[in-house]
Amino acid sequence: MTATAPPRTYRVKSFGCQMNVYDGERMAELLEREGIAPAADGEDADLVVLNTCHIREKATEKVFSDIGRLRRDDGTSPLIAVAGCVAQAEGAEILRRSKSVSLVVGPQVYHRLPEMVAAAALGARPVDTDMPLETKFGALPARRKVGPSAFLTVQEGCDKFCTYCVVPYTRGAEVSRGFADLVAEAERLVEAGAKEITLLGQNVNAWRDADGRGLEKLIEALALIPGLARIRYTTSHPNDMTEGLIEAHRDVAKLMPFLHLPVQSGSDRVLKAMNRSHTAASYLAVLDKVRSARADVALSGDFIVGFPGETEAEFAQTVRLIEQVGYAQCFSFKYSPRPGTPAATMDGQIATEVMDERLQRLQAAINTAQLAFNRQAVGKTCTVLVERKGKYPGQWLGKTPWLQSAHFGGEAAIGDLVQVELLEAMGNSLAASLLQKVPAQA
Ligand code: 5AD
Ligand code: SF4
């Protein structure tokens, strides 16, 4: 690689989960601290950070096709940084496969991005996929400007080793950020404009500080921050739903009535083969407890169809579980063999056509549940946090406490908390009418 001028503009493209969105924002802040500005819409950036996802198939191929598309008409490319979980998994191999890539940085060391960019501009091709003991968070700049709904990563990594999942390898072991550090970042997010904070972690409900405090204690502390109206958290594991956290759904008014709790399958045999260490019944028992703490809680889940060996009868158990729970929303995926995971070499890999067909049936069950959930909300009055303008002039979009998208017209502004009446349910959203603005500090 030859030397180039130091980049003046950047663009970060994040793929995959919300934790990557958070990391992407933090990388942007790091670059801006160095005087590198965001590229204007539609304009070429001098530096492009591809913040990649490795959770399902073709992620790596997608990265290489994105790299190809960054080549300019004159044959040159911007400085390209590959970050995120593909960077962690593939490391220097990425540099070998693509001459256009300038640097590779893993998710645990992106605080080193500025110095790597400087080295890359001088012609080096640095690779850093360390998982250092010290955390990157202390080295990141303070949060400055955020939207009304902000993310806060509180925990990273996973010790669960589900047999299909690459996360324990790409994000490493479970690590929790410290209590005081998190309260301070949350306060800065609120100063910077956040009304809602979603606590993030691959196993967010496994968050535990050095004194043994669990996530509910952090939620209770954040609920004391004036100006913060709503708290959410995602993604949780059923086995880490402690009594304390469940009780927080009853006791902490700012904790929204929503729980994303993946189950993956309704078949105990499949769950065992997935190493989920819970059964369908124990999962349902957790949901029952959460519902007794907070009757109106909206539930969400993740599902995988076509795990190796999944029979038609086992798949049918998953569909039945969806019908039984009455989810507000769900994410569903075709099983995707990930290199290095135990399931990738299991017998009984399922044909793509079978997976396609099962996914369709599963999604039909999910859509039915979601529409039913939205329909039962019609007639309710609730608060909505206005997040952005809608498609039509004068229309606003925001989220209900149950994480449904609601749209309405009238006098409002981004960041307002407003009271609305829900009028009409669609599959993915609700039409609402604006009643009044909720006074600050509500
Ligand atoms: N194949 C398909 N889906 C997967 N997920 C994780 N790994 C795989 C895989 N190999 C899904 C799970 C998880 C969500 C984030 O992604 O449902 O909860
Ligand atoms: Fe992956 Fe399972 Fe850990 Fe979730 S709990 S990140 S699915 S290994």
Side-chain angles (χ1 to χ4, degrees), residues 34-109:
E34 302 299 309
I36 308 175
D41 277 351
E43 265 176 39
D44 263 5
D46 299 335
L47 166 69
V48 175
V49 180
L50 297 174
N51 190 20
T52 60
C53 170
H54 202 234
I55 193 95
R56 282 173 290 277
E57 210 171 2
K58 302 202 182 91
T60 317
E61 295 319 309
K62 180 165 170 21
V63 175
F64 286 102
S65 75
D66 284 343
I67 292 168
R69 265 187 276 123
L70 287 172
R71 195 163 302 130
R72 303 180 181 118
D73 292 342
D74 65 1
T76 63
S77 294
L79 280 178
I80 298 174
V82 178
C85 292
V86 175
Q88 190 66 41
E90 304 283 329
E93 180 58 25
I94 297 172
L95 296 184
R96 279 191 283 278
R97 272 194 60 182
S98 171
K99 294 281 167 274
S100 313
V101 175
S102 313
L103 70 92
V104 176
V105 61
Q108 301 310 337
V109 284

Coordinates of all heavy atoms in Angstrom, one line a residue, residues 34-109:
E34 N -10.3 13.5 16.2 CA -9.1 13.7 15.4 C -9.3 14.7 14.3 O -8.4 14.9 13.5 CB -8.7 12.3 14.7 CG -8.5 11.2 15.7 CD -7.4 11.5 16.7 OE1 -6.2 11.9 16.3 OE2 -7.6 11.3 17.9
G35 N -10.4 15.3 14.3 CA -10.6 16.4 13.2 C -11.1 15.8 11.9 O -11.2 16.5 10.9
I36 N -11.5 14.5 11.9 CA -12.0 13.9 10.6 C -13.5 14.1 10.7 O -14.2 13.8 11.7 CB -11.6 12.4 10.5 CG1 -10.1 12.2 10.7 CG2 -12.1 11.8 9.2 CD1 -9.7 10.8 10.8
A37 N -14.1 14.7 9.6 CA -15.5 15.0 9.6 C -16.4 14.0 8.9 O -15.9 13.3 8.0 CB -15.7 16.4 9.0
P38 N -17.6 13.9 9.3 CA -18.5 13.0 8.5 C -18.7 13.4 7.1 O -18.8 14.6 6.9 CB -19.8 13.0 9.3 CG -19.8 14.2 10.2 CD -18.3 14.6 10.4
A39 N -18.6 12.5 6.1 CA -18.8 12.9 4.7 C -20.2 13.3 4.5 O -21.1 12.7 5.1 CB -18.4 11.7 3.8
A40 N -20.4 14.3 3.7 CA -21.8 14.8 3.4 C -22.5 13.7 2.6 O -21.9 12.9 1.9 CB -21.7 16.0 2.6
D41 N -23.8 13.7 2.8 CA -24.7 12.7 2.1 C -24.4 12.7 0.6 O -24.3 13.8 0.0 CB -26.2 13.0 2.2 CG -26.7 12.5 3.6 OD1 -25.9 11.7 4.2 OD2 -27.8 12.8 4.0
G42 N -24.2 11.5 0.0 CA -23.9 11.4 -1.4 C -22.5 11.8 -1.9 O -22.2 11.7 -3.0
E43 N -21.7 12.1 -0.9 CA -20.3 12.4 -1.3 C -19.4 11.3 -0.8 O -19.6 10.7 0.2 CB -19.8 13.8 -0.6 CG -20.0 14.9 -1.6 CD -19.7 16.2 -0.9 OE1 -18.7 16.3 -0.1 OE2 -20.4 17.2 -1.2
D44 N -18.3 11.1 -1.6 CA -17.3 10.2 -1.3 C -16.6 10.5 0.1 O -16.3 11.7 0.3 CB -16.2 10.2 -2.3 CG -16.4 9.1 -3.4 OD1 -17.4 8.4 -3.3 OD2 -15.5 9.0 -4.2
A45 N -16.3 9.5 0.9 CA -15.5 9.7 2.1 C -14.1 9.3 1.8 O -13.8 8.4 1.0 CB -16.1 8.9 3.2
D46 N -13.2 10.0 2.5 CA -11.7 9.6 2.4 C -11.5 8.3 3.2 O -10.6 7.5 2.8 CB -10.8 10.7 3.0 CG -11.0 12.0 2.3 OD1 -11.3 12.0 1.1 OD2 -10.7 13.0 3.0
L47 N -12.3 8.0 4.2 CA -12.1 6.8 5.0 C -13.5 6.2 5.2 O -14.5 6.9 5.6 CB -11.6 7.2 6.4 CG -11.7 6.2 7.5 CD1 -10.7 5.0 7.2 CD2 -11.3 6.8 8.9
V48 N -13.6 4.9 4.9 CA -14.9 4.2 5.1 C -14.6 3.1 6.1 O -13.7 2.3 5.9 CB -15.4 3.6 3.8 CG1 -16.7 2.8 4.1 CG2 -15.8 4.7 2.8
V49 N -15.4 3.1 7.2 CA -15.3 2.0 8.2 C -16.5 1.0 7.9 O -17.6 1.5 8.0 CB -15.4 2.6 9.6 CG1 -15.3 1.4 10.6 CG2 -14.3 3.6 9.9
L50 N -16.1 -0.2 7.6 CA -17.2 -1.2 7.5 C -17.3 -2.0 8.8 O -16.3 -2.7 9.2 CB -16.9 -2.2 6.3 CG -16.8 -1.5 4.9 CD1 -16.3 -2.6 3.9 CD2 -18.2 -1.0 4.5
N51 N -18.3 -1.7 9.5 CA -18.5 -2.3 10.9 C -19.3 -3.5 10.7 O -20.5 -3.5 10.7 CB -19.1 -1.2 11.8 CG -19.1 -1.7 13.2 OD1 -18.3 -2.5 13.6 ND2 -20.0 -1.1 14.0
T52 N -18.7 -4.7 10.6 CA -19.3 -5.9 10.0 C -19.9 -6.8 11.1 O -19.6 -6.7 12.3 CB -18.2 -6.7 9.3 OG1 -17.2 -7.0 10.3 CG2 -17.6 -5.9 8.2
C53 N -20.8 -7.7 10.6 CA -21.5 -8.7 11.4 C -21.1 -10.1 10.9 O -21.1 -10.3 9.7 CB -23.0 -8.4 11.3 SG -24.0 -9.8 12.0
H54 N -21.0 -11.0 11.8 CA -20.5 -12.4 11.4 C -21.6 -13.4 11.8 O -21.3 -14.6 11.7 CB -19.2 -12.7 12.1 CG -18.4 -13.7 11.4 ND1 -17.9 -14.8 12.1 CD2 -18.0 -13.9 10.1 CE1 -17.3 -15.6 11.3 NE2 -17.3 -15.1 10.1
I55 N -22.8 -13.0 12.3 CA -23.7 -13.9 12.9 C -24.2 -14.9 12.0 O -24.5 -16.1 12.4 CB -24.8 -13.1 13.7 CG1 -25.5 -14.1 14.7 CG2 -25.8 -12.5 12.8 CD1 -25.0 -14.0 16.0
R56 N -24.5 -14.5 10.8 CA -25.1 -15.5 9.8 C -24.3 -15.5 8.5 O -23.4 -14.6 8.3 CB -26.5 -15.2 9.5 CG -27.4 -15.7 10.7 CD -28.9 -15.3 10.5 NE -29.0 -13.9 10.7 CZ -29.1 -13.3 11.9 NH1 -29.1 -14.0 13.0 NH2 -29.2 -12.0 12.0
E57 N -24.6 -16.5 7.7 CA -23.9 -16.8 6.5 C -23.7 -15.6 5.6 O -24.4 -14.6 5.6 CB -24.7 -17.8 5.7 CG -23.9 -18.7 4.9 CD -24.8 -19.8 4.3 OE1 -26.0 -19.8 4.6 OE2 -24.3 -20.7 3.7
K58 N -22.7 -15.7 4.7 CA -22.5 -14.8 3.7 C -22.1 -13.4 4.2 O -21.9 -12.5 3.4 CB -23.7 -14.6 2.7 CG -24.2 -15.9 2.1 CD -25.0 -15.7 0.9 CE -25.4 -17.0 0.3 NZ -26.7 -17.4 0.8
A59 N -21.9 -13.3 5.5 CA -21.5 -12.0 6.1 C -20.1 -11.6 5.5 O -19.9 -10.5 5.0 CB -21.4 -12.1 7.6
T60 N -19.2 -12.6 5.4 CA -17.9 -12.3 4.9 C -17.9 -11.9 3.5 O -17.3 -11.0 3.0 CB -17.0 -13.5 5.1 OG1 -17.2 -14.0 6.4 CG2 -15.5 -13.2 5.0
E61 N -18.7 -12.7 2.7 CA -18.8 -12.4 1.3 C -19.4 -11.0 1.1 O -19.0 -10.3 0.2 CB -19.7 -13.5 0.6 CG -19.2 -14.9 0.6 CD -17.7 -14.9 0.3 OE1 -17.2 -14.3 -0.7 OE2 -16.9 -15.5 1.2
K62 N -20.3 -10.7 1.9 CA -21.0 -9.3 1.8 C -19.9 -8.2 2.0 O -19.9 -7.2 1.3 CB -22.1 -9.2 2.8 CG -22.8 -7.9 2.8 CD -24.1 -8.0 3.6 CE -24.7 -6.6 3.8 NZ -24.2 -5.6 2.8
V63 N -19.0 -8.5 3.0 CA -18.0 -7.5 3.2 C -17.1 -7.3 1.9 O -16.9 -6.2 1.5 CB -17.1 -7.9 4.4 CG1 -15.9 -6.9 4.6 CG2 -17.9 -8.0 5.7
F64 N -16.8 -8.4 1.3 CA -15.9 -8.3 0.1 C -16.6 -7.6 -1.0 O -16.1 -6.8 -1.8 CB -15.3 -9.6 -0.3 CG -14.2 -10.0 0.7 CD1 -14.4 -10.9 1.7 CD2 -13.0 -9.3 0.7 CE1 -13.4 -11.2 2.6 CE2 -12.0 -9.6 1.6 CZ -12.2 -10.6 2.6
S65 N -17.9 -7.9 -1.2 CA -18.6 -7.2 -2.2 C -18.8 -5.7 -1.9 O -18.7 -4.9 -2.8 CB -20.0 -7.9 -2.6 OG -20.9 -7.6 -1.6
D66 N -19.0 -5.4 -0.6 CA -19.1 -3.9 -0.3 C -17.7 -3.2 -0.6 O -17.7 -2.1 -1.0 CB -19.3 -3.8 1.2 CG -20.8 -4.1 1.6 OD1 -21.6 -4.0 0.7 OD2 -21.1 -4.3 2.8
I67 N -16.6 -4.0 -0.3 CA -15.3 -3.4 -0.5 C -15.2 -3.1 -2.0 O -14.8 -2.0 -2.5 CB -14.2 -4.3 -0.1 CG1 -14.2 -4.4 1.4 CG2 -12.8 -3.9 -0.6 CD1 -13.4 -5.5 2.0
G68 N -15.6 -4.0 -2.9 CA -15.6 -3.9 -4.3 C -16.3 -2.6 -4.8 O -15.9 -1.9 -5.6
R69 N -17.5 -2.5 -4.1 CA -18.4 -1.3 -4.5 C -17.8 0.0 -4.1 O -18.3 1.1 -4.6 CB -19.8 -1.5 -4.0 CG -20.7 -2.2 -5.1 CD -22.1 -2.3 -4.7 NE -22.3 -3.5 -3.8 CZ -22.8 -3.4 -2.6 NH1 -23.2 -2.3 -2.1 NH2 -23.0 -4.5 -1.9
L70 N -16.9 0.0 -3.2 CA -16.3 1.3 -2.8 C -15.2 1.8 -3.8 O -14.8 3.0 -3.7 CB -15.6 1.1 -1.4 CG -16.6 1.0 -0.3 CD1 -15.9 0.6 1.0 CD2 -17.4 2.3 -0.1
R71 N -14.9 0.9 -4.8 CA -13.9 1.4 -5.7 C -14.5 2.5 -6.6 O -15.6 2.4 -7.0 CB -13.4 0.2 -6.6 CG -12.1 0.5 -7.4 CD -11.5 -0.7 -7.9 NE -11.1 -1.7 -6.9 CZ -11.4 -3.0 -6.9 NH1 -12.0 -3.5 -7.9 NH2 -11.0 -3.8 -5.9
R72 N -13.7 3.6 -6.8 CA -14.2 4.7 -7.5 C -14.0 4.5 -9.0 O -13.2 3.6 -9.4 CB -13.4 6.0 -7.1 CG -13.5 6.3 -5.6 CD -12.8 7.6 -5.3 NE -12.8 7.8 -3.8 CZ -11.8 7.9 -3.0 NH1 -10.5 7.6 -3.5 NH2 -11.9 8.2 -1.8
D73 N -14.6 5.3 -9.8 CA -14.5 5.2 -11.3 C -13.1 5.3 -11.8 O -12.7 4.6 -12.7 CB -15.3 6.3 -12.0 CG -16.8 6.1 -11.7 OD1 -17.2 5.0 -11.3 OD2 -17.6 7.1 -11.9
D74 N -12.2 6.1 -11.1 CA -10.8 6.2 -11.5 C -10.0 5.1 -11.0 O -8.7 5.1 -11.1 CB -10.3 7.5 -11.1 CG -10.2 7.7 -9.6 OD1 -10.5 6.7 -8.9 OD2 -9.8 8.7 -9.1
G75 N -10.6 4.0 -10.4 CA -9.8 2.9 -10.0 C -9.3 3.0 -8.6 O -8.8 2.0 -8.0
T76 N -9.3 4.2 -8.0 CA -8.8 4.3 -6.6 C -9.9 3.9 -5.6 O -11.1 3.8 -6.0 CB -8.4 5.8 -6.3 OG1 -9.6 6.6 -6.4 CG2 -7.3 6.3 -7.2
S77 N -9.5 3.7 -4.3 CA -10.5 3.4 -3.3 C -10.2 4.4 -2.1 O -9.1 4.9 -2.0 CB -10.3 2.0 -2.8 OG -10.6 1.1 -3.7
P78 N -11.3 4.6 -1.3 CA -11.0 5.3 0.0 C -10.1 4.5 0.9 O -9.9 3.3 0.6 CB -12.3 5.6 0.6 CG -13.2 4.5 0.0 CD -12.6 4.2 -1.4
L79 N -9.6 5.0 2.0 CA -9.0 4.1 3.0 C -10.2 3.3 3.5 O -11.2 3.8 3.9 CB -8.4 5.0 4.1 CG -7.1 5.6 4.0 CD1 -6.8 6.5 5.2 CD2 -6.0 4.6 3.7
I80 N -10.0 2.0 3.6 CA -11.1 1.1 4.0 C -10.6 0.4 5.3 O -9.6 -0.3 5.3 CB -11.4 0.1 3.0 CG1 -11.9 0.8 1.7 CG2 -12.5 -0.9 3.5 CD1 -12.2 -0.2 0.5
A81 N -11.4 0.6 6.4 CA -11.2 -0.1 7.6 C -12.2 -1.1 7.8 O -13.4 -0.8 7.7 CB -11.2 0.9 8.8
V82 N -11.8 -2.4 8.0 CA -12.8 -3.4 8.3 C -12.8 -3.6 9.8 O -11.8 -3.9 10.4 CB -12.5 -4.7 7.6 CG1 -13.6 -5.8 8.0 CG2 -12.6 -4.5 6.1
A83 N -14.0 -3.3 10.4 CA -14.2 -3.4 11.9 C -15.2 -4.5 12.2 O -15.8 -5.1 11.3 CB -14.5 -2.1 12.5
G84 N -15.5 -4.7 13.4 CA -16.7 -5.6 13.8 C -16.3 -7.0 13.8 O -15.1 -7.4 13.9
C85 N -17.3 -7.9 13.8 CA -17.0 -9.3 14.1 C -16.4 -10.1 12.9 O -15.7 -11.1 13.2 CB -18.4 -10.0 14.5 SG -18.9 -9.3 16.1
V86 N -16.6 -9.6 11.7 CA -15.8 -10.3 10.6 C -14.3 -10.0 10.8 O -13.5 -10.9 10.6 CB -16.3 -9.9 9.2 CG1 -15.5 -10.5 8.1 CG2 -17.8 -10.3 9.0
A87 N -14.0 -8.8 11.2 CA -12.6 -8.4 11.4 C -12.0 -9.3 12.5 O -10.9 -9.8 12.3 CB -12.5 -6.9 11.9
Q88 N -12.8 -9.5 13.6 CA -12.3 -10.4 14.6 C -12.1 -11.8 14.1 O -11.1 -12.5 14.4 CB -13.3 -10.4 15.8 CG -12.8 -11.0 17.0 CD -11.6 -10.3 17.6 OE1 -11.6 -9.0 17.7 NE2 -10.6 -11.0 18.1
A89 N -13.1 -12.3 13.4 CA -13.0 -13.7 12.9 C -12.0 -14.0 11.9 O -11.3 -15.0 11.8 CB -14.4 -14.1 12.5
E90 N -11.8 -13.0 10.9 CA -10.9 -13.3 9.8 C -9.6 -12.6 9.9 O -8.6 -13.1 9.2 CB -11.6 -12.8 8.5 CG -13.0 -13.4 8.3 CD -13.0 -14.8 7.7 OE1 -12.0 -15.2 7.0 OE2 -13.9 -15.6 8.0
G91 N -9.5 -11.6 10.6 CA -8.2 -10.9 10.9 C -7.4 -10.6 9.6 O -7.9 -10.1 8.6
A92 N -6.1 -11.0 9.6 CA -5.2 -10.6 8.5 C -5.6 -11.2 7.2 O -5.3 -10.8 6.1 CB -3.8 -11.0 8.8
E93 N -6.4 -12.3 7.2 CA -6.9 -12.9 6.0 C -7.6 -11.9 5.1 O -7.6 -12.0 3.9 CB -7.8 -14.1 6.4 CG -8.5 -14.9 5.3 CD -7.4 -15.5 4.4 OE1 -6.3 -15.8 4.8 OE2 -7.8 -15.7 3.2
I94 N -8.3 -11.0 5.7 CA -9.0 -9.9 5.0 C -8.0 -9.1 4.1 O -8.3 -8.8 3.0 CB -9.8 -9.0 5.9 CG1 -10.8 -9.8 6.7 CG2 -10.4 -7.8 5.2 CD1 -11.5 -9.1 7.8
L95 N -6.9 -8.8 4.7 CA -5.9 -8.0 3.9 C -5.3 -8.9 2.7 O -5.1 -8.3 1.7 CB -4.7 -7.6 4.8 CG -5.0 -6.7 6.0 CD1 -3.7 -6.3 6.7 CD2 -5.7 -5.4 5.5
R96 N -5.2 -10.2 3.0 CA -4.7 -11.0 1.9 C -5.7 -11.1 0.8 O -5.4 -11.1 -0.4 CB -4.4 -12.5 2.4 CG -3.1 -12.5 3.1 CD -2.7 -14.0 3.4 NE -3.4 -14.5 4.6 CZ -3.0 -14.3 5.8 NH1 -1.9 -13.6 6.1 NH2 -3.7 -14.8 6.8
R97 N -7.0 -11.2 1.2 CA -8.1 -11.3 0.1 C -8.3 -10.0 -0.6 O -8.8 -10.1 -1.8 CB -9.4 -11.8 0.7 CG -9.4 -13.3 0.8 CD -10.8 -13.9 1.1 NE -11.8 -13.5 0.1 CZ -13.1 -13.9 0.2 NH1 -13.5 -14.6 1.2 NH2 -13.9 -13.5 -0.7
S98 N -8.2 -8.9 0.0 CA -8.5 -7.6 -0.7 C -7.4 -6.6 -0.5 O -7.1 -6.2 0.6 CB -9.8 -7.0 -0.2 OG -9.9 -5.7 -0.8
K99 N -6.8 -6.3 -1.6 CA -5.7 -5.3 -1.6 C -6.2 -3.9 -1.2 O -5.4 -3.0 -0.8 CB -5.0 -5.2 -3.0 CG -4.3 -6.5 -3.4 CD -3.0 -6.6 -2.8 CE -2.4 -8.0 -2.9 NZ -2.8 -8.9 -1.8
S100 N -7.5 -3.7 -1.4 CA -8.1 -2.3 -1.1 C -8.2 -2.0 0.4 O -8.4 -0.9 0.8 CB -9.5 -2.2 -1.7 OG -9.5 -2.6 -3.0
V101 N -8.2 -3.1 1.2 CA -8.4 -2.9 2.7 C -7.1 -2.3 3.3 O -6.0 -2.9 3.1 CB -8.9 -4.2 3.4 CG1 -9.0 -4.0 4.9 CG2 -10.2 -4.6 2.8
S102 N -7.3 -1.2 4.1 CA -6.1 -0.6 4.7 C -5.9 -1.0 6.1 O -4.8 -1.0 6.6 CB -6.4 0.9 4.8 OG -6.9 1.4 3.5
L103 N -6.9 -1.4 6.8 CA -6.7 -1.9 8.2 C -7.9 -2.7 8.7 O -9.0 -2.7 8.2 CB -6.5 -0.6 9.2 CG -7.7 0.2 9.4 CD1 -8.4 -0.2 10.7 CD2 -7.2 1.7 9.6
V104 N -7.5 -3.6 9.7 CA -8.5 -4.5 10.3 C -8.5 -4.3 11.8 O -7.5 -4.4 12.4 CB -8.2 -5.9 9.9 CG1 -9.2 -6.9 10.6 CG2 -8.2 -6.1 8.4
V105 N -9.7 -3.9 12.4 CA -9.7 -3.7 13.8 C -10.9 -4.4 14.4 O -12.0 -4.3 14.0 CB -9.8 -2.2 14.1 CG1 -11.0 -1.5 13.5 CG2 -9.7 -1.9 15.6
G106 N -10.6 -5.2 15.5 CA -11.6 -6.0 16.1 C -12.5 -5.2 17.1 O -12.1 -4.0 17.4
P107 N -13.6 -5.7 17.5 CA -14.6 -5.0 18.3 C -14.1 -4.6 19.7 O -14.6 -3.7 20.4 CB -15.8 -5.9 18.5 CG -15.5 -7.1 17.7 CD -14.1 -7.1 17.2
Q108 N -13.0 -5.3 20.2 CA -12.6 -4.9 21.6 C -11.5 -3.9 21.6 O -11.0 -3.5 22.7 CB -12.1 -6.2 22.3 CG -13.1 -7.3 22.5 CD -14.4 -6.8 23.0 OE1 -14.5 -5.8 23.7 NE2 -15.5 -7.5 22.8
V109 N -11.0 -3.5 20.4 CA -9.8 -2.5 20.4 C -10.1 -1.3 19.5 O -9.1 -0.7 19.0 CB -8.5 -3.3 20.0 CG1 -8.0 -4.1 21.2 CG2 -8.7 -4.1 18.8

